[in-house]
Amino acid sequence: MFEQRRERRELVVSVTLAETFLLLVFLVWYVSPQGELPDWKSVAAEKQKRVEELERESKRLREEIDRLQKINQWWKDNFGVDCPASYEELVQVLRSPNARSAVLEAGRGYAACEAANILIEAEVRQGSVRITYGPAMTGLQRWLAQREGTFRLDEAPLENWDQVKVLASLVRQYYEWRARGGSPCRFDYKLVYHTKEDYYDGRVILEQDFYPAGIRRALP
Protein backbone atom coordinates (compact mmCIF):
# COMPACT_ATOMS: atom_id res chain seq x y z
CA MET A 1 0.00 0.00 0.00
CA PHE A 2 2.81 2.40 0.91
CA GLU A 3 4.50 1.65 -2.40
CA GLN A 4 1.35 2.58 -4.30
CA ARG A 5 1.07 5.89 -2.41
CA ARG A 6 4.71 6.73 -3.10
CA GLU A 7 4.25 6.00 -6.81
CA ARG A 8 1.17 8.20 -6.85
CA ARG A 9 3.04 11.10 -5.21
CA GLU A 10 5.86 10.78 -7.72
CA LEU A 11 3.35 10.78 -10.58
CA VAL A 12 1.66 13.89 -9.20
CA VAL A 13 5.02 15.65 -8.84
CA SER A 14 6.02 14.68 -12.38
CA VAL A 15 2.73 15.93 -13.78
CA THR A 16 3.06 19.16 -11.81
CA LEU A 17 6.61 19.80 -13.13
CA ALA A 18 5.51 19.06 -16.69
CA GLU A 19 2.58 21.43 -16.38
CA THR A 20 4.82 24.14 -14.93
CA PHE A 21 7.26 23.80 -17.80
CA LEU A 22 4.46 23.96 -20.37
CA LEU A 23 3.09 27.03 -18.63
CA LEU A 24 6.47 28.77 -18.83
CA VAL A 25 6.79 27.89 -22.52
CA PHE A 26 3.29 29.25 -23.12
CA LEU A 27 4.07 32.51 -21.31
CA VAL A 28 7.28 33.00 -23.29
CA TRP A 29 5.44 32.30 -26.50
CA TYR A 30 2.60 34.62 -25.50
CA VAL A 31 4.84 37.64 -24.72
CA SER A 32 7.17 37.13 -27.69
CA PRO A 33 6.56 39.14 -30.90
CA GLN A 34 3.93 37.55 -33.10
CA GLY A 35 3.63 34.70 -30.64
CA GLU A 36 6.88 33.09 -31.80
CA LEU A 37 9.28 31.24 -29.49
CA PRO A 38 12.71 32.93 -29.14
CA ASP A 39 15.79 31.51 -30.86
CA TRP A 40 17.54 30.14 -27.78
CA LYS A 41 20.79 29.65 -29.71
CA SER A 42 20.86 33.34 -30.69
CA VAL A 43 19.97 34.37 -27.15
CA ALA A 44 22.82 32.27 -25.75
CA ALA A 45 25.27 33.68 -28.33
CA GLU A 46 24.25 37.24 -27.49
CA LYS A 47 24.68 36.60 -23.77
CA GLN A 48 28.12 35.04 -24.36
CA LYS A 49 29.16 38.05 -26.42
CA ARG A 50 28.14 40.35 -23.58
CA VAL A 51 30.06 38.23 -21.06
CA GLU A 52 33.21 38.46 -23.21
CA GLU A 53 32.81 42.24 -23.49
CA LEU A 54 32.55 42.53 -19.72
CA GLU A 55 35.63 40.33 -19.25
CA ARG A 56 37.65 42.56 -21.62
CA GLU A 57 36.50 45.67 -19.78
CA SER A 58 37.38 44.07 -16.45
CA LYS A 59 40.88 43.24 -17.73
CA ARG A 60 41.35 46.81 -18.98
CA LEU A 61 40.30 48.23 -15.63
CA ARG A 62 42.66 45.90 -13.73
CA GLU A 63 45.56 47.02 -15.96
CA GLU A 64 44.64 50.66 -15.40
CA ILE A 65 44.53 50.13 -11.63
CA ASP A 66 47.95 48.47 -11.78
CA ARG A 67 49.36 51.40 -13.79
CA LEU A 68 47.99 53.97 -11.34
CA GLN A 69 49.34 52.01 -8.38
CA LYS A 70 52.83 52.04 -9.95
CA ILE A 71 52.60 55.80 -10.47
CA ASN A 72 51.52 56.31 -6.89
CA GLN A 73 54.33 54.07 -5.64
CA TRP A 74 56.87 56.13 -7.62
CA TRP A 75 55.72 59.28 -5.84
CA LYS A 76 55.96 57.51 -2.48
CA ASP A 77 59.46 56.21 -3.24
CA ASN A 78 60.77 59.60 -4.42
CA PHE A 79 58.81 62.09 -2.34
CA GLY A 80 57.27 60.05 0.48
CA VAL A 81 53.68 61.04 -0.40
CA ASP A 82 50.81 59.86 -2.58
CA CYS A 83 50.60 61.18 -6.13
CA PRO A 84 49.29 64.76 -5.96
CA ALA A 85 45.70 65.17 -7.12
CA SER A 86 45.79 68.94 -7.70
CA TYR A 87 48.13 71.80 -8.56
CA GLU A 88 48.17 72.91 -4.92
CA GLU A 89 49.25 69.45 -3.75
CA LEU A 90 51.98 69.35 -6.42
CA VAL A 91 53.39 72.69 -5.26
CA GLN A 92 53.44 71.44 -1.69
CA VAL A 93 55.30 68.27 -2.70
CA LEU A 94 57.90 70.21 -4.71
CA ARG A 95 58.66 72.29 -1.63
CA SER A 96 59.70 69.18 0.29
CA PRO A 97 63.40 68.82 1.23
CA ASN A 98 64.18 65.98 -1.19
CA ALA A 99 62.18 67.38 -4.13
CA ARG A 100 64.99 69.52 -5.57
CA SER A 101 67.51 66.68 -5.73
CA ALA A 102 64.93 64.32 -7.24
CA VAL A 103 63.95 66.81 -9.94
CA LEU A 104 67.59 67.55 -10.82
CA GLU A 105 68.37 63.85 -11.02
CA ALA A 106 65.38 63.27 -13.29
CA GLY A 107 66.65 66.01 -15.62
CA ARG A 108 70.07 64.43 -16.13
CA GLY A 109 70.78 62.72 -19.41
CA TYR A 110 73.01 60.21 -17.58
CA ALA A 111 73.19 59.03 -14.00
CA ALA A 112 75.91 60.19 -11.63
CA CYS A 113 79.10 58.11 -11.61
CA GLU A 114 79.69 58.40 -7.86
CA ALA A 115 77.64 59.25 -4.80
CA ALA A 116 79.84 62.35 -4.38
CA ASN A 117 79.97 63.15 -8.08
CA ILE A 118 82.02 66.39 -8.31
CA LEU A 119 85.11 65.52 -10.37
CA ILE A 120 86.61 68.97 -10.88
CA GLU A 121 86.25 72.49 -9.49
CA ALA A 122 87.30 75.08 -12.07
CA GLU A 123 88.08 78.78 -11.85
CA VAL A 124 88.33 80.72 -15.11
CA ARG A 125 89.94 84.17 -14.92
CA GLN A 126 90.62 86.30 -17.99
CA GLY A 127 90.75 83.18 -20.17
CA SER A 128 93.10 81.27 -17.86
CA VAL A 129 91.91 78.17 -16.02
CA ARG A 130 92.80 76.64 -12.68
CA ILE A 131 91.31 73.25 -11.75
CA THR A 132 91.37 71.21 -8.57
CA TYR A 133 89.97 67.72 -8.12
CA GLY A 134 86.73 66.92 -6.35
CA PRO A 135 85.74 63.82 -4.34
CA ALA A 136 84.74 61.78 -7.42
CA MET A 137 88.37 61.74 -8.56
CA THR A 138 89.05 58.84 -6.15
CA GLY A 139 86.89 56.50 -8.22
CA LEU A 140 88.47 57.61 -11.49
CA GLN A 141 92.00 57.14 -10.08
CA ARG A 142 91.06 53.65 -8.87
CA TRP A 143 89.88 52.76 -12.38
CA LEU A 144 93.08 54.14 -13.94
CA ALA A 145 95.24 52.14 -11.52
CA GLN A 146 93.62 48.90 -12.75
CA ARG A 147 94.52 49.66 -16.37
CA GLU A 148 97.98 49.07 -17.83
CA GLY A 149 99.64 51.53 -20.17
CA THR A 150 97.16 54.32 -19.65
CA PHE A 151 97.85 57.97 -18.95
CA ARG A 152 98.32 59.06 -15.38
CA LEU A 153 96.47 62.01 -13.98
CA ASP A 154 98.47 65.19 -13.60
CA GLU A 155 98.84 66.49 -10.09
CA ALA A 156 96.38 69.21 -9.19
CA PRO A 157 96.01 72.06 -9.74
CA LEU A 158 95.75 71.98 -13.52
CA GLU A 159 96.58 75.41 -14.85
CA ASN A 160 96.14 75.30 -18.62
CA TRP A 161 93.50 74.06 -21.05
CA ASP A 162 95.82 71.43 -22.56
CA GLN A 163 95.95 69.61 -19.24
CA VAL A 164 92.16 69.83 -19.08
CA LYS A 165 91.91 68.22 -22.52
CA VAL A 166 94.09 65.31 -21.38
CA LEU A 167 91.86 64.83 -18.35
CA ALA A 168 88.74 64.99 -20.53
CA SER A 169 90.20 62.30 -22.82
CA LEU A 170 90.68 59.95 -19.85
CA VAL A 171 87.19 60.71 -18.60
CA ARG A 172 85.69 59.82 -21.99
CA GLN A 173 87.48 56.46 -21.86
CA TYR A 174 85.95 55.89 -18.45
CA TYR A 175 82.49 56.78 -19.79
CA GLU A 176 82.90 54.28 -22.61
CA TRP A 177 83.93 51.58 -20.13
CA ARG A 178 80.90 52.27 -17.95
CA ALA A 179 78.58 52.23 -20.99
CA ARG A 180 79.91 48.83 -22.11
CA GLY A 181 79.08 47.53 -18.65
CA GLY A 182 75.51 48.78 -18.95
CA SER A 183 75.76 51.69 -16.51
CA PRO A 184 76.58 54.89 -18.46
CA CYS A 185 77.20 57.96 -16.31
CA ARG A 186 78.57 61.52 -16.25
CA PHE A 187 80.71 63.36 -13.69
CA ASP A 188 79.80 66.85 -12.44
CA TYR A 189 81.85 70.03 -12.22
CA LYS A 190 81.73 73.34 -10.40
CA LEU A 191 82.72 76.64 -11.96
CA VAL A 192 83.78 80.03 -10.64
CA TYR A 193 84.07 82.69 -13.36
CA HIS A 194 85.16 86.34 -13.42
CA THR A 195 83.91 87.80 -16.72
CA LYS A 196 81.17 87.01 -19.19
CA GLU A 197 83.80 85.58 -21.51
CA ASP A 198 85.12 83.35 -18.71
CA TYR A 199 81.58 82.14 -18.05
CA TYR A 200 81.07 81.31 -21.72
CA ASP A 201 84.46 79.61 -22.20
CA GLY A 202 84.16 77.58 -19.03
CA ARG A 203 80.73 76.23 -19.80
CA VAL A 204 81.34 75.54 -23.48
CA ILE A 205 84.55 73.60 -22.82
CA LEU A 206 83.65 71.77 -19.61
CA GLU A 207 80.11 70.79 -20.54
CA GLN A 208 81.35 68.74 -23.44
CA ASP A 209 82.21 66.07 -20.85
CA PHE A 210 80.69 67.12 -17.48
CA TYR A 211 77.40 68.24 -16.00
CA PRO A 212 77.24 71.54 -14.07
CA ALA A 213 76.66 71.16 -10.33
CA GLY A 214 77.30 74.75 -9.33
CA ILE A 215 78.20 77.95 -11.21
CA ARG A 216 78.89 81.28 -9.55
CA ARG A 217 80.63 84.53 -10.24
CA ALA A 218 83.78 85.31 -8.27
CA LEU A 219 83.46 87.92 -5.58
CA PRO A 220 84.97 91.33 -6.46
Side-chain angles (χ1 to χ4, degrees):
M1 184 187 335
F2 290 109
E3 289 295 328
Q4 291 177 352
R5 289 180 181 176
R6 186 169 63 82
E7 290 174 358
R8 254 182 225 171
R9 285 197 301 271
E10 291 176 352
L11 178 61
V12 170
V13 171
S14 299
V15 171
T16 302
L17 290 174
E19 291 173 344
T20 302
F21 177 76
L22 289 173
L23 178 60
L24 290 173
V25 171
F26 174 76
L27 289 174
V28 171
W29 171 79
Y30 180 77
V31 299
S32 63
Q34 301 177 354
E36 297 177 356
L37 290 174
D39 183 351
W40 296 111
K41 185 176 181 179
S42 298
V43 171
E46 187 66 26
K47 296 296 182 184
Q48 180 62 29
K49 180 180 178 182
R50 180 56 178 162
V51 168
E52 291 173 356
E53 289 176 352
L54 292 173
E55 288 177 344
R56 287 194 294 270
E57 180 66 9
S58 177
K59 180 182 178 182
R60 185 189 69 80
L61 291 174
R62 288 195 301 269
E63 291 175 348
E64 180 67 10
I65 290 172
D66 183 61
R67 185 182 73 85
L68 293 175
Q69 286 177 336
K70 289 179 179 178
I71 292 174
N72 198 60
Q73 188 61 48
W74 184 89
W75 281 92
K76 285 185 175 180
D77 292 343
N78 288 276
F79 298 102
V81 297
D82 290 330
C83 178
S86 66
Y87 175 79
E88 290 74 16
E89 290 184 6
L90 175 61
V91 171
Q92 185 176 359
V93 170
L94 294 178
R95 288 173 177 169
S96 63
N98 59 340
R100 178 176 173 78
S101 60
V103 170
L104 290 175
E105 187 65 25
R108 296 176 64 96
Y110 293 92
C113 299
E114 302 283 343
N117 201 49
I118 304 296
L119 186 74
I120 58 174
E121 298 186 16
E123 181 179 0
V124 182
R125 178 196 296 267
Q126 303 297 327
S128 299
V129 64
R130 185 178 190 275
I131 285 180
T132 57
Y133 296 141
M137 187 56 67
T138 302
L140 181 62
Q141 288 176 325
R142 188 184 309 116
W143 175 76
L144 287 171
Q146 296 171 353
R147 294 165 55 88
E148 295 181 1
T150 188
F151 291 105
R152 299 295 300 173
L153 288 173
D154 291 333
E155 293 290 333
L158 310 182
E159 296 187 321
N160 63 72
W161 288 112
D162 288 337
Q163 288 180 301
V164 175
K165 290 178 181 178
V166 172
L167 171 62
S169 175
L170 294 174
V171 168
R172 284 193 290 271
Q173 293 179 40
Y174 177 78
Y175 290 161
E176 292 172 1
W177 174 75
R178 286 287 297 261
R180 288 195 299 270
S183 56
C185 68
R186 288 293 182 274
F187 288 115
D188 297 337
Y189 80 95
K190 287 185 176 182
L191 172 65
V192 176
Y193 68 94
H194 290 257
T195 67
K196 292 181 180 180
E197 290 76 14
D198 294 336
Y199 171 86
Y200 178 82
D201 290 344
R203 295 203 66 173
V204 167
I205 295 173
L206 296 176
E207 288 181 23
Q208 295 180 45
D209 301 289
F210 309 102
Y211 286 164
I215 299 175
R216 64 180 178 86
R217 188 168 187 172
L219 296 175

